[in-house]
């Protein structure tokens, strides 16, 4: 183990935090930039019906950016606290618990058949399948989820519906655009950040964040 008071980084990778943004907002620049990159890649138009599968930290930020881009957002998750947060903040138009037996039928009725763009933000075989089910014929599916293992995909679901499927990885060239967005569209940082740990409890923070999902959205580690 080694430590250092200073670290050298390429200048082009360092972005000063604008005076208008708080440190809490600064913490969220990187995850928000992932959403900005994915939404930009999707090419959302005003009025598009957007489905976001997964309402964890990145999924909620996808809601936020997609709405700012003019989309009508439908959110999907099994955790009620996350659906409630998205709904209460006005990020989504309607929410659906995937544990309900009729959620897919209800969504297709509400969205006139399906979503123009679907964001998969979980990283599981079930969520990938759901993303293809939610998309309308000719729609787009953007995969952001981090998959821990290979999954089985019904390729004919893609062929029959003529879907455009794209992966979205990290946040290339998105930090400056993200900070501009944060200046004009305020995030509810005090509600997104649900858990805080001192640096001394960093290991505990990672352990608890990986196991506790129902009452947690964003976890931060604070330095003195």
């Amino acid at each position: 183990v080694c430590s250092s008071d200073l670290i050298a980084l390429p200048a082009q990778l360092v972005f000063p935090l604008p005076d208008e943004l708080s440190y809490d907002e600064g913490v969220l620049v990187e995850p928000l930039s992932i959403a900005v990159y994915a939404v930009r890649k999707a090419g959302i138009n005003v009025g598009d019906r957007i489905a976001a599968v997964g309402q964890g930290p990145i999924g909620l930020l996808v809601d936020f950016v997609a709405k700012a881009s003019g989309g009508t957002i439908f959110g999907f998750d099994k955790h009620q606290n996350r659906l409630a947060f998205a709904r209460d903040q006005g990020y989504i138009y309607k929410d659906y618990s995937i544990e309900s037996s009729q959620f897919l039928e209800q969504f297709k009725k509400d969205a006139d058949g399906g979503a123009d763009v679907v964001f998969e933000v979980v990283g599981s075989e079930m969520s990938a399948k759901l993303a293809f089910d939610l998309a309308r014929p000719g729609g787009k599916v953007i995969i952001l989820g981090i998959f821990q293992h290979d999954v089985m995909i019904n390729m004919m679901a893609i062929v029959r519906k003529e879907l455009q499927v794209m992966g979205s990885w990290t946040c290339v060239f998105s930090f400056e655009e993200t900070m501009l967005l944060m200046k004009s569209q305020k995030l509810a940082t005090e509600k997104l950040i649900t858990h805080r740990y001192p640096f001394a409890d960093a290991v505990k923070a990672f352990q608890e964040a990986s196991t506790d999902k129902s009452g947690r959205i964003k976890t931060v580690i604070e330095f003195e």
Side-chain angles (χ1 to χ4, degrees), residues 102-123:
Q102 301 296 320
F103 79 91
L104 185 56
E105 292 80 357
Q106 185 60 52
F107 164 72
K108 290 189 175 180
K109 180 180 178 181
D110 295 339
D112 194 25
D116 299 296
V117 180
V118 182
F119 292 94
E120 191 285 328
V121 205
V122 178

Side-chain angles (χ1 to χ4, degrees), residues 56-211:
I58 302 299
L60 288 168
L61 295 175
V62 165
D63 296 341
F64 176 80
V65 179
K67 183 182 179 184
S69 300
T72 299
I73 320 302
F74 300 84
F76 298 80
D77 206 290
K78 64 180 180 181
H79 298 298
Q80 291 297 327
N81 69 304
R82 293 177 171 179
L83 291 170
F85 177 86
R87 183 176 62 248
D88 294 345
Q89 294 303 312
Y91 295 171
I92 58 178
Y93 171 64
K94 285 192 176 181
D95 61 277
Y96 305 85
S97 170
I98 63 171
E99 296 186 333
S100 168
S101 60
Q102 301 296 320
F103 79 91
L104 185 56
E105 292 80 357
Q106 185 60 52
F107 164 72
K108 290 189 175 180
K109 180 180 178 181
D110 295 339
D112 194 25
D116 299 296
V117 180
V118 182
F119 292 94
E120 191 285 328
V121 205
V122 178
S124 74
E125 187 166 323
M126 183 183 74
S127 59
K129 179 181 183 301
L130 177 57
F132 298 139
D133 288 342
L134 296 174
R136 66 164 175 78
K140 299 177 184 177
V141 177
I142 315 298
I143 308 292
L144 287 82
I146 304 300
F147 292 80
Q148 300 299 318
H149 52 79
D150 293 343
V151 300
M152 296 292 292
I153 298 296
N154 180 355
M155 298 303 294
M156 285 308 299
I158 300 172
V159 173
R160 281 194 298 267
K161 295 175 79 171
E162 298 189 353
L163 300 177
Q164 300 177 58
V165 181
M166 293 180 279
S168 182
W169 176 248
T170 192
C171 49
V172 179
F173 307 123
S174 298
F175 268 42
E176 290 180 316
E177 183 180 355
T178 298
M179 288 187 286
L180 286 172
L181 175 63
M182 294 183 85
K183 289 181 186 180
S184 62
Q185 302 280 335
K186 287 296 181 182
L187 276 169
T189 54
E190 73 285 353
K191 294 181 179 178
L192 271 167
I193 299 174
T194 55
H195 292 73
R196 299 173 184 269
Y197 296 81
F199 179 69
D201 291 337
V203 173
K204 179 182 178 183
F206 280 100
Q207 290 172 338
E208 294 186 353
S210 65
T211 57

